Amino acid sequence: MNNIELQRLTEQLAIDYFGVEFKHKAYFNHRLRTTGGRYLLRSHHIEINPKQLENFGEQAIIDIIKHELCHYFLHLAGRGYQHRDRDFKVLSSKVGAPRFCTPTETYQSRANYKYQCANCLENYLRIRKVNTHKMRCGHCGGKLNLVEVYKH
C-alpha cells in the first residue's frame, strides 16, 4: 500500500463510517515509532505508522484510520476530540474504532543499556544512557552500575 491507496482508503472509510467526506491528506510517516497514527490539529492531516501495516496487515490500518477519523471529525465539529472526552468515547465505540493499537516495538526491544543496583541487584533497562553519578536505585538508593550495552 502506498500513500495514494492510503488516501483513497481513508476517504472511503470516512464516507462508510461517518457519512462525511475527508478533505485533507492521509499519508505514511516512517518516523512514527511508538504510535499507530496521529491526527495533526493544525493541518488536519492524518499520519499512519507503516510498521503497523507490515506487522499486522490492512485491518490494523483500517482500525487506526477509524480512530484518527474520530479525532478529525470531532475536532472539526468543535466537540471533545481527546481520548478522555465523552464525545470521543461514544463516537469511537459507535464506529468500532479501537482505543489503542498493538505496539510494534516494546520498551525492552528498544532498550540500549542495562543497569544494575550494587545493593539490591535490581535491573533497569534504559533507551538512553544515564549519569550513574547522579542517578540512584529507585528501590534502595544504591549505586547503579552499567552491566550491558545492547547493539541493535
Side-chain angles (χ1 to χ4, degrees):
M1 181 180 291
N2 59 24
N3 284 335
I4 296 168
E5 293 168 336
L6 179 67
Q7 179 72 31
R8 283 191 201 124
L9 177 61
T10 305
E11 291 169 358
Q12 188 61 46
L13 290 172
I15 296 293
D16 292 348
Y17 287 94
F18 300 89
V20 185
E21 281 186 46
F22 176 72
K23 297 180 181 177
H24 292 86
K25 292 183 181 174
Y27 53 89
F28 288 110
N29 182 348
H30 295 274
R31 292 184 319 252
L32 294 179
R33 298 185 74 164
T34 59
T35 184
R38 68 181 170 188
Y39 164 64
L40 303 171
L41 293 172
R42 292 203 171 132
S43 65
H44 306 296
H45 299 322
I46 292 176
E47 297 179 337
I48 302 295
N49 186 342
K51 290 181 185 175
Q52 289 287 327
L53 179 63
E54 295 166 14
N55 294 343
F56 306 111
E58 191 171 333
Q59 185 57 47
I61 295 296
I62 291 170
D63 290 342
I64 292 167
I65 292 171
K66 288 193 295 187
H67 177 96
E68 300 308 327
L69 284 173
C70 289
H71 290 298
Y72 173 80
F73 288 119
L74 289 170
H75 180 249
L76 292 179
R79 296 171 63 198
Y81 61 90
Q82 295 179 342
H83 290 130
R84 66 175 182 249
D85 294 328
R86 187 174 194 285
D87 291 333
F88 181 82
K89 291 177 183 176
V90 168
L91 182 60
S92 62
S93 65
K94 179 182 171 188
V95 298
R99 190 95 187 266
F100 304 102
C101 67
T102 308
T104 57
E105 298 176 334
T106 63
Y107 188 85
Q108 287 77 13
S109 69
R110 293 180 57 212
N112 297 317
Y113 302 96
K114 182 179 180 181
Y115 295 91
Q116 189 174 53
C117 175
N119 290 344
C120 68
L121 303 178
E122 182 71 29
N123 291 316
Y124 296 94
L125 294 176
R126 294 292 177 263
I127 295 172
R128 298 177 72 176
K129 199 169 191 174
V130 299
N131 184 347
T132 55
H133 297 294
K134 291 183 179 180
M135 300 298 286
R136 302 297 238 164
C137 175
H139 295 271
C140 70
K143 183 179 179 343
L144 295 178
N145 296 319
L146 179 62
V147 177
E148 195 172 348
V149 178
Y150 301 111
K151 306 272 185 190
H152 297 286

